[in-house]
Amino acid sequence: MKLTRRGFSGALAASIAAPALIGRAGAQGATLKIGMCAPVTGPAAEQGRYAQTGAKIALDAVNKAGGVLGKQVELIIEDDQTTNPGIVLAFSKLAAQDDIVAFLGSIRSTQVHAMAPDVLKLGKPVMIGGTDPALTHMGNQWLFRFRPNDSYSGRVLADYGVNTLGKKKWAIVHSTDAFGTAGGKALTEALGKIGATVALDQGYANQSQDFTPVVLAVKQSGADILGSYFTFENDLGIFARQLRQLGVNIPYVGSPSIVNVSALKLAGPALYGTFGVADYAEDSSEASKAYGKLYREAAKVAPDNQSAWTYDAITILCASINKAGKTDPKAIREAILATKNFAGAEGTYNFDANGDGLHGYNIVKNDKGNIVFDKHIDFND
Amino acid sequence: MDLVLQLLFTGIGIGAVYALVALGFVLIFRATNVVNFAQGEFSMVAAFIMVVFAVDLGWPYWLSFIVSLGGMALLGALFNLGVYYPLRNRSFLPVIIATIGASIFLANSVLALYGPQPQVLQGWFDTPGIQLGPVYLDSQYLLIIAVTIVLVAFQYWFFEHTLLGKKLQATSQDKEMASLIGIPVSAMIMLTFVYSALLGGIAGILVAPVLFVSIQMGATIALKAFAATIIGGFGDVAGAIIGGLALGVIETFGAAYISVPYKDGFAFLVLVAFLIFRPQGLFGERVAEKA
């Protein structure tokens, strides 16, 4: 047989392409892929590790139970560098892989906002943990939230302070960034609806070195309860300590940062006896307890919301694909939205038409440094 | 009145921290004619060294303090050799850019080594503070004010009454002349960097129990200290102290009586006013370009 130039070129091209084609075909057949953008590097790298662990625990359970649509599920992780450009790049790398059927985005609202236009263009389901209410109310039907949004935290704080603690004259302290301003506003509105008054609405700039003027304003306002939205734990730590030093001892209910591990460490006894809202509380339900046990075994540290939401996201996503019976994005979307009364680690999921799965928060108490579950407050709207 | 006294105490306490870091700015500026934008990172690095030894390794506080200052002296020397010395014959701009680069490098090195979580460092005293009538005096702020007074007195004595201090002054005033009369100029500049790193380090360790130890702490303090230096008059030691204290008091009262969110704004409003109406600062001399 005579080897022609054309024949040789054809054979060469085929031999180069074959392994890739065979590999791709094999991969497509063998596993079902889910993409995940997570901070592997950058300031939130530690939390990113928690998020990955939560997702992997869920994935193991799904695969042990037979996988999805008869295939084992594979998680493809891209580093979002804890930045907005980072997550846009990470998502575009994942989106370029046609065989990825759905994605996990970020717990940070700002990053979700950054990637949202690309999510809309791609048209595949993306699970998120960011709590800015706008994320599921801006016409992007592909975002599904696995944490309660911030509109609920204000209502829960107000409800608990007024109806459980019986306090009606409030001082509100909040950061002046998007999170703090929106939180302070939500709390003020919720208080107005249940007949409580706001004696002081005090904003502060992040990374303040001193809160003496704020504490003195709280003291002078004559408020009988304090509500807060702090963005950074070090600000909260300085504020809480100065609050006690200057003799302010009224009941204090705060946004989730008041009960996170860093704040507890920094503020120490200054935060004892305070209440906070938390989307994940280990003792809030049987499902939360069961997840806590699994996570402690896998990660050797206490579970928190950073990992609980990714655990729930993978669990519900996989169940929804199974229920849909196919990987068509629209079918998956409908199956996720049809999820009702699903007991997850973060709470009971009842998806609404906007893509919000959870509609309430847990109230927890700082009992001498231990976070103790107090009650769960849910809303139907 | 109670409110005024409480605000005044806090303002002076936080102002003393700005003053300590501002002193470091001034010393390096006098010796080299450049602004060291990594001065704030010296505070941050020293605080992290304290956390490593006093908290993580459980060493006694005083020993950790000495180790930390030793580390700062070394850092000051390395900073001089690595950042200033290679560029000493260039104009001021490359040196300033190099100090900004060094500042980013230091912050990110600590981030890579220690992670992003803020850390707690206990204060020197077990008692958090004392109630003096209507005013609460935080013990750490009292210590900061006391140390600032001692360091200022030491600095005055050192520069005005010791031979080494006078050699340093001569170097800062005219390097060529100093060199001609036999003063080892490079060694003097090295000493200035070491001393500035020590000052920054002391400020960082003192303020850590109040502000916590975080990667951002250096930048936050340095920005205010820089403003204090300009208000006081660049290159003037007394100016740095007065500028720092004034800034602390102005921003505390501004926050209490005008607006909390714009607290930082007051400091910079004063800064801008000084730059427009008295660019040489409170104690600086007007410098005129020769025709």
Side-chain angles (χ1 to χ4, degrees), chain B:
Chain B
M1 191 60 198
D2 301 353
L3 184 70
V4 172
L5 287 175
Q6 185 67 61
L7 292 170
L8 190 65
F9 173 73
T10 313
I12 291 175
I14 200 88
V17 178
Y18 301 155
L20 275 183
V21 179
L23 267 185
F25 271 121
V26 168
L27 288 176
I28 289 184
F29 182 76
R30 279 170 47 140
T32 63
N33 281 327
V34 293
V35 181
N36 173 22
F37 280 102
Q39 190 65 31
E41 310 311 335
F42 288 164
S43 302
M44 183 268 297
V45 171
F48 268 99
I49 298 177
M50 271 304 276
V51 169
V52 170
F53 285 95
V55 181
D56 297 349
L57 299 176
W59 286 23
Y61 209 87
W62 62 270
L63 188 59
S64 309
F65 182 68
I66 292 171
V67 171
S68 184
L69 290 191
M72 291 324 292
L74 188 66
L75 181 64
L78 289 175
F79 194 89
N80 175 41
L81 291 176
V83 180
Y84 173 71
Y85 197 75
L87 300 169
R88 68 191 181 285
N89 294 325
R90 308 279 286 274
S91 74
F92 70 96
L93 202 58
V95 187
I96 287 179
I97 292 169
T99 67
I100 294 172
S103 150
I104 296 169
F105 174 77
L106 284 173
N108 283 283
S109 301
V110 175
L111 179 69
L113 288 171
Y114 213 90
Q117 297 299 334
Q119 304 294 322
V120 180
L121 181 68
Q122 295 304 323
W124 286 90
F125 305 112
D126 291 335
T127 325
I130 44 171
Q131 190 75 41
L132 198 70
V135 183
Y136 180 86
L137 305 176
D138 187 314
S139 57
Q140 196 65 27
Y141 274 138
L142 285 174
L143 180 68
I144 291 170
I145 295 168
V147 170
T148 307
I149 293 170
V150 170
L151 278 175
V152 169
F154 169 77
Q155 197 144 314
Y156 175 76
W157 168 79
F158 178 72
F159 277 103
E160 302 299 329
H161 297 282
T162 68
L163 186 61
L164 187 58
K166 286 181 177 166
K167 281 183 185 174
L168 280 170
Q169 283 211 61
T171 308
S172 73
Q173 281 165 10
D174 191 334
K175 289 186 199 57
E176 279 180 14
M177 189 62 203
S179 167
L180 281 175
I181 59 170
I183 294 172
V185 170
S186 293
M188 291 300 112
I189 290 176
M190 166 73 92
L191 196 64
T192 307
F193 270 97
V194 169
Y195 185 54
S196 297
L198 286 174
L199 274 181
I202 291 172
I205 294 167
L206 284 174
V207 81
V210 182
L211 301 185
F212 305 118
V213 182
S214 67
I215 309 292
Q216 303 83 15
M217 68 182 282
T220 319
I221 305 170
L223 205 59
K224 298 283 178 61
F226 183 63
T229 317
I230 290 173
I231 291 170
F234 236 107
D236 190 88
V237 171
I241 304 294
I242 304 290
L245 293 176
L247 206 61
V249 172
I250 288 169
E251 66 174 21
T252 307
F253 276 87
Y257 289 105
I258 304 173
S259 162
V260 174
Y262 290 103
K263 190 180 95 173
D264 292 343
F266 300 121
F268 293 107
L269 210 61
V270 176
L271 172 69
V272 171
F274 264 89
L275 285 175
I276 294 171
F277 299 110
R278 198 177 160 79
Q280 72 271 36
L282 284 172
F283 295 88
E285 289 167 12
R286 183 176 284 277
V287 180
E289 291 279 331
K290 281 180 189 162

Side-chain angles (χ1 to χ4, degrees), chain A residues 93-153:
Chain A
K93 277 187 192 169
L94 291 170
Q97 301 181 41
D98 294 338
D99 51 347
I100 294 183
V101 297
F103 305 82
L104 264 66
S106 176
I107 192 169
R108 284 157 199 274
S109 299
T110 171
Q111 285 190 302
V112 181
H113 274 296
M115 70 192 285
D118 292 340
V119 172
L120 196 59
K121 253 186 258 166
L122 183 70
K124 284 183 182 177
V126 176
M127 319 299 119
I128 58 165
T131 53
D132 178 355
L135 290 170
T136 49
H137 294 75
M138 54 186 192
N140 192 332
Q141 57 171 340
W142 300 108
L143 297 175
F144 303 89
R145 179 159 25 216
F146 286 77
R147 292 177 64 213
N149 74 45
D150 286 334
S151 70
Y152 295 111
S153 68

Side-chain angles (χ1 to χ4, degrees), chain A residues 16-310:
Chain A
I16 290 170
L21 290 172
I22 293 166
R24 195 171 181 80
Q28 268 180 348
T31 60
L32 186 134
K33 289 181 185 171
I34 295 173
M36 178 177 186
C37 303
V40 179
T41 59
E46 198 173 332
Q47 288 86 344
R49 211 168 50 233
Y50 301 161
Q52 290 176 53
T53 307
K56 281 174 186 166
I57 293 173
L59 204 68
D60 285 348
V62 168
N63 283 335
K64 266 185 200 155
V68 172
L69 305 179
K71 292 177 187 172
Q72 291 289 288
V73 185
E74 191 185 344
L75 198 61
I76 313 290
I77 296 168
E78 275 294 335
D79 180 14
D80 71 24
Q81 300 165 33
T82 330
T83 64
N84 291 357
I87 201 162
V88 171
L89 182 67
F91 184 68
S92 74
K93 277 187 192 169
L94 291 170
Q97 301 181 41
D98 294 338
D99 51 347
I100 294 183
V101 297
F103 305 82
L104 264 66
S106 176
I107 192 169
R108 284 157 199 274
S109 299
T110 171
Q111 285 190 302
V112 181
H113 274 296
M115 70 192 285
D118 292 340
V119 172
L120 196 59
K121 253 186 258 166
L122 183 70
K124 284 183 182 177
V126 176
M127 319 299 119
I128 58 165
T131 53
D132 178 355
L135 290 170
T136 49
H137 294 75
M138 54 186 192
N140 192 332
Q141 57 171 340
W142 300 108
L143 297 175
F144 303 89
R145 179 159 25 216
F146 286 77
R147 292 177 64 213
N149 74 45
D150 286 334
S151 70
Y152 295 111
S153 68
R155 290 170 70 182
V156 169
L157 285 177
D159 183 291
Y160 190 78
V162 174
N163 297 327
T164 306
L165 300 176
K167 305 289 180 189
K168 289 199 161 178
K169 194 175 178 190
W170 287 65
I172 300 173
V173 175
H174 61 86
S175 61
T176 45
D177 62 10
F179 161 77
T181 308
K185 199 171 148 221
L187 178 55
T188 305
E189 282 171 6
L191 287 169
K193 281 182 188 155
I194 51 177
T197 55
V198 177
L200 174 77
D201 181 351
Q202 181 65 71
Y204 71 88
N206 284 330
Q207 305 299 343
S208 286
Q209 297 99 11
D210 175 56
F211 283 90
T212 307
V214 178
V215 173
L216 293 175
V218 172
K219 206 172 176 177
Q220 288 182 321
S221 71
D224 57 10
I225 185 167
L226 171 63
S228 77
Y229 276 83
F230 273 80
T231 307
F232 290 101
E233 291 85 6
N234 45 347
D235 282 334
L236 178 57
I238 298 170
F239 172 72
R241 223 162 41 187
Q242 293 188 324
L243 198 66
R244 302 312 182 208
Q245 286 176 349
L246 298 176
V248 180
N249 289 306
I250 53 177
Y252 181 3
V253 291
S255 66
S257 61
I258 199 171
V259 287
N260 85 18
V261 183
S262 293
L264 297 181
K265 192 171 84 177
L266 296 179
L271 282 178
Y272 287 1
T274 58
F275 300 90
V277 290
D279 42 306
Y280 177 76
E282 197 168 358
D283 293 327
S284 61
S285 71
E286 287 309 314
S288 307
K289 274 184 206 163
Y291 169 68
K293 192 165 169 281
L294 283 174
Y295 186 80
R296 280 173 197 277
E297 280 168 11
K300 315 290 178 214
V301 291
D304 67 3
N305 60 4
Q306 301 282 345
S307 67
W309 86 266
T310 56

Side-chain angles (χ1 to χ4, degrees), chain A residues 160 164 275-276 281 362-365 372-376:
Chain A
Y160 190 78
T164 306
F275 300 90
N362 301 302
I363 286 279
V364 291
K365 186 180 180 185
V372 185
F373 172 69
D374 194 276
K375 72 191 287 190
H376 184 85

